[in-house]
Short mmCIF file of all heavy atoms in Angstrom, two decimals:
data_model
loop_
_atom_site.label_atom_id
_atom_site.label_comp_id
_atom_site.label_asym_id
_atom_site.label_seq_id
_atom_site.Cartn_x
_atom_site.Cartn_y
_atom_site.Cartn_z
N TYR A 713 8.41 26.74 -13.06
CA TYR A 713 8.65 25.55 -12.25
C TYR A 713 7.64 25.48 -11.11
O TYR A 713 7.42 26.45 -10.41
CB TYR A 713 10.06 25.56 -11.69
CG TYR A 713 11.14 25.64 -12.74
CD1 TYR A 713 11.90 26.79 -12.90
CD2 TYR A 713 11.38 24.56 -13.60
CE1 TYR A 713 12.88 26.88 -13.88
CE2 TYR A 713 12.34 24.64 -14.59
CZ TYR A 713 13.09 25.79 -14.72
OH TYR A 713 14.05 25.87 -15.70
N LEU A 715 8.12 23.47 -8.55
CA LEU A 715 8.97 23.38 -7.36
C LEU A 715 10.40 23.71 -7.76
O LEU A 715 10.91 23.17 -8.75
CB LEU A 715 8.91 21.99 -6.75
CG LEU A 715 9.70 21.79 -5.45
CD1 LEU A 715 9.05 22.56 -4.30
CD2 LEU A 715 9.81 20.31 -5.10
N GLU A 716 11.04 24.58 -6.99
CA GLU A 716 12.42 24.94 -7.27
C GLU A 716 13.18 25.13 -5.97
O GLU A 716 12.70 25.79 -5.04
CB GLU A 716 12.47 26.24 -8.09
CG GLU A 716 13.86 26.67 -8.48
CD GLU A 716 13.88 27.91 -9.36
OE1 GLU A 716 12.81 28.57 -9.50
OE2 GLU A 716 14.94 28.23 -9.92
N THR A 717 14.34 24.52 -5.88
CA THR A 717 15.22 24.75 -4.73
C THR A 717 16.45 25.52 -5.20
O THR A 717 16.92 25.32 -6.31
CB THR A 717 15.67 23.42 -4.07
OG1 THR A 717 16.62 22.75 -4.91
CG2 THR A 717 14.48 22.50 -3.82
N LYS A 718 16.95 26.39 -4.32
CA LYS A 718 18.13 27.19 -4.65
C LYS A 718 19.13 27.09 -3.50
O LYS A 718 18.87 27.59 -2.39
CB LYS A 718 17.75 28.65 -4.89
CG LYS A 718 16.93 28.88 -6.15
CD LYS A 718 16.67 30.36 -6.39
CE LYS A 718 15.90 30.59 -7.69
NZ LYS A 718 15.64 32.04 -7.95
N GLY A 719 20.25 26.43 -3.75
CA GLY A 719 21.29 26.31 -2.75
C GLY A 719 20.84 25.65 -1.46
O GLY A 719 21.38 25.94 -0.39
N LEU A 720 19.87 24.76 -1.55
CA LEU A 720 19.26 24.18 -0.35
C LEU A 720 20.24 23.28 0.37
O LEU A 720 20.92 22.45 -0.24
CB LEU A 720 18.01 23.38 -0.76
CG LEU A 720 17.06 22.96 0.37
CD1 LEU A 720 16.47 24.19 1.05
CD2 LEU A 720 15.95 22.08 -0.19
N GLY A 721 20.32 23.44 1.69
CA GLY A 721 21.23 22.60 2.46
C GLY A 721 20.90 22.63 3.94
O GLY A 721 20.21 23.52 4.43
N ASP A 732 23.93 22.83 -1.13
CA ASP A 732 23.86 23.44 -2.47
C ASP A 732 23.05 22.58 -3.45
O ASP A 732 23.48 22.32 -4.58
CB ASP A 732 25.27 23.68 -3.01
CG ASP A 732 25.26 24.68 -4.16
OD1 ASP A 732 24.36 25.55 -4.18
OD2 ASP A 732 26.14 24.60 -5.03
N VAL A 733 21.87 22.14 -3.00
CA VAL A 733 21.00 21.32 -3.84
C VAL A 733 20.07 22.23 -4.64
O VAL A 733 19.27 22.97 -4.07
CB VAL A 733 20.20 20.31 -3.00
CG1 VAL A 733 19.22 19.54 -3.88
CG2 VAL A 733 21.14 19.36 -2.27
N ASN A 734 20.18 22.14 -5.96
CA ASN A 734 19.34 22.93 -6.86
C ASN A 734 18.52 21.99 -7.74
O ASN A 734 19.08 21.25 -8.55
CB ASN A 734 20.20 23.85 -7.73
CG ASN A 734 21.02 24.83 -6.91
OD1 ASN A 734 20.47 25.74 -6.30
ND2 ASN A 734 22.33 24.64 -6.88
N ILE A 735 17.22 22.01 -7.54
CA ILE A 735 16.31 21.15 -8.30
C ILE A 735 15.22 22.02 -8.89
O ILE A 735 14.68 22.90 -8.21
CB ILE A 735 15.68 20.07 -7.39
CG1 ILE A 735 16.76 19.19 -6.76
CG2 ILE A 735 14.69 19.21 -8.17
CD1 ILE A 735 16.23 18.22 -5.71
N ARG A 736 14.87 21.78 -10.15
CA ARG A 736 13.80 22.53 -10.80
C ARG A 736 12.86 21.53 -11.48
O ARG A 736 13.26 20.79 -12.37
CB ARG A 736 14.38 23.51 -11.82
CG ARG A 736 15.22 24.62 -11.18
CD ARG A 736 15.82 25.56 -12.20
NE ARG A 736 16.79 24.88 -13.05
CZ ARG A 736 17.52 25.48 -13.99
NH1 ARG A 736 17.37 26.78 -14.20
NH2 ARG A 736 18.38 24.80 -14.70
N ILE A 737 11.62 21.55 -11.04
CA ILE A 737 10.64 20.58 -11.51
C ILE A 737 9.49 21.31 -12.19
O ILE A 737 8.87 22.21 -11.59
CB ILE A 737 10.11 19.72 -10.35
CG1 ILE A 737 11.28 19.01 -9.64
CG2 ILE A 737 9.09 18.70 -10.85
CD1 ILE A 737 10.87 18.27 -8.39
N ILE A 756 16.16 15.81 1.96
CA ILE A 756 15.58 16.82 1.07
C ILE A 756 14.06 16.83 1.22
O ILE A 756 13.44 17.91 1.29
CB ILE A 756 15.99 16.56 -0.40
CG1 ILE A 756 17.50 16.74 -0.57
CG2 ILE A 756 15.22 17.50 -1.34
CD1 ILE A 756 18.01 18.13 -0.25
N LEU A 759 13.21 18.66 4.29
CA LEU A 759 13.36 20.10 4.11
C LEU A 759 12.17 20.69 3.34
O LEU A 759 11.65 21.75 3.69
CB LEU A 759 14.66 20.40 3.37
CG LEU A 759 15.96 20.20 4.17
CD1 LEU A 759 17.17 20.27 3.24
CD2 LEU A 759 16.09 21.22 5.28
N LEU A 760 11.75 19.99 2.30
CA LEU A 760 10.65 20.49 1.46
C LEU A 760 9.32 20.51 2.19
O LEU A 760 8.42 21.25 1.81
CB LEU A 760 10.54 19.65 0.19
CG LEU A 760 11.70 19.74 -0.80
CD1 LEU A 760 11.50 18.77 -1.95
CD2 LEU A 760 11.86 21.16 -1.32
N GLY A 769 20.16 28.27 1.83
CA GLY A 769 19.29 28.18 0.66
C GLY A 769 17.82 28.28 0.98
O GLY A 769 17.40 28.53 2.12
N THR A 770 17.02 28.06 -0.05
CA THR A 770 15.57 28.20 0.09
C THR A 770 14.88 27.37 -0.98
O THR A 770 15.52 26.73 -1.81
CB THR A 770 15.16 29.68 -0.02
OG1 THR A 770 13.79 29.82 0.34
CG2 THR A 770 15.39 30.23 -1.42
N PHE A 771 13.54 27.38 -0.97
CA PHE A 771 12.78 26.68 -2.00
C PHE A 771 11.45 27.37 -2.24
O PHE A 771 10.95 28.12 -1.40
CB PHE A 771 12.59 25.20 -1.66
CG PHE A 771 11.81 24.93 -0.40
CD1 PHE A 771 10.47 24.60 -0.44
CD2 PHE A 771 12.44 24.96 0.84
CE1 PHE A 771 9.75 24.34 0.71
CE2 PHE A 771 11.75 24.69 2.01
CZ PHE A 771 10.39 24.38 1.95
N TYR A 772 10.90 27.13 -3.44
CA TYR A 772 9.72 27.84 -3.91
C TYR A 772 8.69 26.84 -4.45
O TYR A 772 9.03 25.87 -5.11
CB TYR A 772 10.09 28.80 -5.04
CG TYR A 772 11.12 29.83 -4.67
CD1 TYR A 772 12.49 29.50 -4.72
CD2 TYR A 772 10.76 31.12 -4.28
CE1 TYR A 772 13.45 30.44 -4.38
CE2 TYR A 772 11.73 32.06 -3.94
CZ TYR A 772 13.07 31.71 -3.99
OH TYR A 772 14.02 32.63 -3.66
N LEU A 919 7.23 13.99 -7.36
CA LEU A 919 8.66 13.85 -7.07
C LEU A 919 8.82 12.58 -6.24
O LEU A 919 8.17 12.44 -5.20
CB LEU A 919 9.18 15.06 -6.29
CG LEU A 919 10.61 14.96 -5.73
CD1 LEU A 919 11.64 14.81 -6.84
CD2 LEU A 919 10.93 16.18 -4.87
N VAL A 943 24.64 17.33 -5.33
CA VAL A 943 24.13 16.89 -6.64
C VAL A 943 25.28 16.36 -7.47
O VAL A 943 26.25 17.07 -7.76
CB VAL A 943 23.42 18.06 -7.37
CG1 VAL A 943 23.03 17.62 -8.78
CG2 VAL A 943 22.19 18.51 -6.60
#
Side-chain angles (χ1 to χ4, degrees):
Y713 302 110
L715 183 69
E716 183 176 11
T717 72
K718 292 184 177 180
L720 194 63
D732 198 28
V733 175
N734 300 292
I735 300 173
R736 295 178 294 184
I737 303 173
I756 295 299
L759 288 169
L760 294 175
T770 190
F771 62 99
Y772 302 83
L919 171 62
V943 174

